[in-house]
Amino acid sequence: NAKNDAQEAAIVAEAGAYGAITVSTQMAGRGTDIRLGGSGADDSAEHDQTAEHDRVAELGGLYVIGTGRHASSRLDDQLRGRSGRQGDPGRSVFFVSMEDDLITSFAPDADHFDLQDVAPDGRLRDARANAVVTHAQRVADGANLEIHRNTFRYNKLIEEQRQVVLTHRDRLLRGDAALVALGARRPDRFEELADAVDEAVLVGAARAIVLYHLDRGWADHLAALAEIREGIHLRALGQGPNPFVMSLDPLAEFHAEAIKLFASLLDQVEERSAETFASAPIGAGGVDLDAAGLRRPSATWTYLVRDNPVDTSLGGALGRFARRIYHR
């Protein structure tokens, strides 16, 4: 699945060949045209593509078998759409268990249904079973949409802060702003180096120092925000200063924390850069950051956030228990 796009596409393209059974994970080979009778790559006098197409069409065309329902109905619809290409015959079937994660996670109260019409092989033909699966998929779609919405709302402010940092970083890269700032903070060190080091080398050294601390500070800022986001949903349990508002808004609380942290970021970067400028070895070859014990950050990361402080397995279990008592 998607390890080699070209090889994967070539395999999926032959799924419509006579007698072919193609096993793939989810939507492997998306964008690949599946023709009845095969892709026709070996189109010659001995290989009549039209005859092969008709041969497979007479047998019913491409049969898509899904071994479960995805949390997103859109992906299931895409998979169904692989059969019946441009008016060709085809069918699709999905096998779903009432114990699948989709059902147990997004329709946990389904287990109290007394389902009827169960075949000896375990297949359910009860219309309510289909309704439960459809309901679970709708709930899953809604939950995933809420996750994406929350991620966007939380990341919008971070993106604005990122643009500020990138603008500042671009200014450092394009001129001598770093050296001017460090010279103002450490004039003695600047005069000492100006007499011993070429100006272009000194500009590059100052730039390397400030860029290191800017990148390091931004990475630490993101790590701090990620830690805040891990528990920010608990703020919803708190009471704000406004007596007309029942609880604190986690998003507003996160924005307040993020703004407060970011307000001092650039000042801290300049202060740490000045300390490094005063002590780091700087010579004709530039600044030796390794000798100063400075290692550049390698990566940052992103978290998804949900704001419901009581959305836990215990809460779900209590809800199911209450529903059972109600139905009795």
Side-chain angles (χ1 to χ4, degrees), residues 63-85:
Y63 202 160
V64 173
I65 302 175
T67 58
R69 292 278 283 273
H70 197 272
S72 171
S73 59
R74 177 180 59 85
L75 295 183
D76 286 345
D77 291 341
Q78 288 177 342
L79 187 56
R80 288 189 183 95
R82 303 312 294 267
S83 62
R85 166 190 173 271

Side-chain angles (χ1 to χ4, degrees), residues 100-169:
D100 282 352
D101 290 341
L102 175 67
I103 310 300
T104 57
S105 298
F106 297 102
D109 55 345
D111 54 1
H112 77 266
F113 282 113
D114 184 19
L115 296 172
Q116 305 294 327
D117 197 13
V118 181
D121 61 0
R123 294 190 64 179
L124 291 172
R125 295 176 176 82
D126 195 321
R128 289 178 298 173
N130 289 329
V132 167
V133 174
T134 302
H135 170 71
Q137 205 164 41
R138 276 201 308 270
V139 174
D141 277 332
N144 290 332
L145 179 62
E146 182 64 21
I147 290 175
H148 288 303
R149 183 185 295 116
N150 272 345
T151 301
F152 171 77
R153 293 189 299 173
Y154 278 89
N155 284 347
K156 186 176 181 181
L157 177 62
I158 298 177
E159 179 59 28
E160 293 175 357
Q161 294 179 346
R162 179 182 286 108
Q163 292 305 319
V164 173
V165 171
L166 289 177
T167 300
H168 183 66
R169 198 176 194 279

Side-chain angles (χ1 to χ4, degrees), residues 204-248:
R207 181 183 296 135
I209 291 172
V210 177
L211 287 178
Y212 167 82
H213 284 290
L214 181 63
D215 293 345
R216 178 76 267 174
W218 176 244
D220 291 342
H221 179 69
L222 290 179
L225 293 183
E227 186 174 351
I228 293 173
R229 287 172 66 176
E230 283 291 311
I232 197 67
H233 60 280
L234 296 175
R235 301 285 182 96
L237 300 175
Q239 179 70 41
N242 188 343
F244 299 101
V245 178
M246 296 301 296
S247 62
L248 296 174

Side-chain angles (χ1 to χ4, degrees), residues 172-318:
L172 295 173
L173 288 170
R174 295 179 181 274
D176 62 350
L179 182 60
V180 172
L182 294 180
R185 279 185 171 264
R186 294 290 190 272
D188 295 340
R189 176 63 167 168
F190 173 76
E191 292 178 3
E192 173 190 344
L193 292 173
D195 295 335
V197 180
D198 183 76
E199 182 180 0
V201 174
L202 192 56
V203 168
R207 181 183 296 135
I209 291 172
V210 177
L211 287 178
Y212 167 82
H213 284 290
L214 181 63
D215 293 345
R216 178 76 267 174
W218 176 244
D220 291 342
H221 179 69
L222 290 179
L225 293 183
E227 186 174 351
I228 293 173
R229 287 172 66 176
E230 283 291 311
I232 197 67
H233 60 280
L234 296 175
R235 301 285 182 96
L237 300 175
Q239 179 70 41
N242 188 343
F244 299 101
V245 178
M246 296 301 296
S247 62
L248 296 174
D249 179 12
L251 180 63
E253 292 294 305
F254 176 79
H255 283 174
E257 296 286 349
I259 292 172
K260 182 170 63 176
L261 287 176
F262 189 74
S264 60
L265 174 62
L266 295 182
D267 289 338
Q268 291 177 359
V269 167
E270 192 169 325
E271 181 178 346
R272 292 168 184 169
S273 299
E275 294 175 358
T276 301
F277 182 68
S279 59
I282 301 176
V287 61
D288 189 350
L289 294 178
D290 292 336
L294 304 179
R295 178 177 297 178
R296 297 185 65 81
S298 59
T300 56
W301 55 91
T302 301
Y303 289 98
L304 298 181
V305 175
R306 296 186 71 174
D307 281 347
N308 188 350
V310 294
D311 186 17
T312 63
S313 57
L314 177 60
L318 292 175

Side-chain angles (χ1 to χ4, degrees), residues 108-113 318-328:
D109 55 345
D111 54 1
H112 77 266
F113 282 113
L318 292 175
R320 291 193 296 273
F321 177 75
R323 283 190 292 271
R324 288 189 178 187
I325 295 297
Y326 173 79
H327 282 290
R328 288 177 183 176

